[in-house]
Amino acid sequence: MEQILSAYYENNARKLRGTVDKILLKFGGLSDKDRDDFYSLANEVFLDVMNRYDNSQPFDAFLYSCLSNRIKTEMTERNRQKRRADRYAISIDTPVNDGESTIGDLIPDSCSVEKEIFEEKEEGYSRRMMLYLSKLSNLQREVLRLDADGYRPHEIKKKLHMTEKQYTDCCAAIHSYRNVSVLF
């Protein structure tokens, strides 16, 4: 047993790591951290194999089959956990309430296009910002300014004497990719 132990653990467990690497080649897509996890698992399996080995077959074959089975079991469990987590994942673009809003719209954020535009900076607006503002109508710029100042949608509509459709159209234009893309 001493000879087997030293053969597998000399040179930083080179032979044991080599055996694990052969098994892991079948799976692919593993990070260095995953490999380290499987090397640790191999140490546990090796200890168990040393205790159960009965000389009825070559030690290398017995160790390889035990390692292979344990690694496959671990991979199955990891994939099961990923699938379980994926079932509970939802897209940030999932519609909520009336279908016009998404989950992403409801997530609070201290940064917004509106605040970025109307926050005064010493050097003034950038060229991109000026280009963005030039793409908006006067009404859209006013809606943007009021929104940045913290007015609620119903207050903006009332203050500017807008219908729901006019307000929705203004907001769509303010946030449209065609207009906002110049800021990137």
Side-chain angles (χ1 to χ4, degrees), residues 46-147:
F46 187 85
L47 180 63
D48 181 53
V49 166
M50 290 288 287
N51 291 331
R52 293 186 309 141
Y53 183 61
D54 61 2
N55 290 327
S56 63
Q57 61 181 319
F59 181 83
D60 293 343
F62 183 55
L63 176 64
Y64 185 88
S65 67
C66 290
L67 277 173
S68 180
N69 289 336
R70 185 64 177 98
I71 288 173
K72 286 177 186 175
T73 301
E74 180 66 21
M75 290 297 263
T76 301
E77 182 58 31
R78 286 179 179 209
N79 288 332
R80 186 175 292 132
Q81 288 173 352
K82 287 179 189 174
R83 285 192 305 272
R84 194 175 300 133
D86 286 346
R87 271 187 286 171
Y88 299 115
I90 57 173
S91 171
I92 198 165
D93 296 324
T94 303
V96 293
N97 298 341
D98 56 4
E100 291 183 25
S101 301
T102 65
I103 291 175
D105 295 334
L106 302 176
I107 297 173
D109 188 5
S110 62
C111 181
S112 69
V113 172
E114 294 84 356
K115 286 184 182 177
E116 286 293 317
I117 290 171
F118 290 103
E119 259 183 18
E120 282 298 323
K121 296 185 174 132
E122 291 177 21
E123 66 274 0
Y125 295 136
S126 70
R127 183 184 57 78
R128 288 182 184 172
M129 190 59 66
M130 294 303 290
L131 181 59
Y132 170 73
L133 290 171
S134 72
K135 291 178 170 257
L136 302 179
S137 70
N138 290 336
L139 182 61
Q140 291 165 353
R141 278 194 294 258
E142 187 60 20
V143 168
L144 188 59
R145 187 186 63 74
L146 291 172
D147 189 41

Side-chain angles (χ1 to χ4, degrees), residues 15-72:
K15 188 171 181 179
L16 183 61
R17 288 174 180 260
T19 305
V20 171
D21 288 339
K22 282 182 197 173
I23 297 168
L24 292 178
L25 275 175
K26 298 174 189 172
F27 297 102
L30 297 173
S31 68
D32 288 339
K33 185 201 175 298
D34 290 328
R35 287 192 183 287
D36 287 342
D37 291 346
F38 285 110
Y39 294 149
S40 295
L41 183 68
N43 287 323
E44 294 173 23
V45 172
F46 187 85
L47 180 63
D48 181 53
V49 166
M50 290 288 287
N51 291 331
R52 293 186 309 141
Y53 183 61
D54 61 2
N55 290 327
S56 63
Q57 61 181 319
F59 181 83
D60 293 343
F62 183 55
L63 176 64
Y64 185 88
S65 67
C66 290
L67 277 173
S68 180
N69 289 336
R70 185 64 177 98
I71 288 173
K72 286 177 186 175

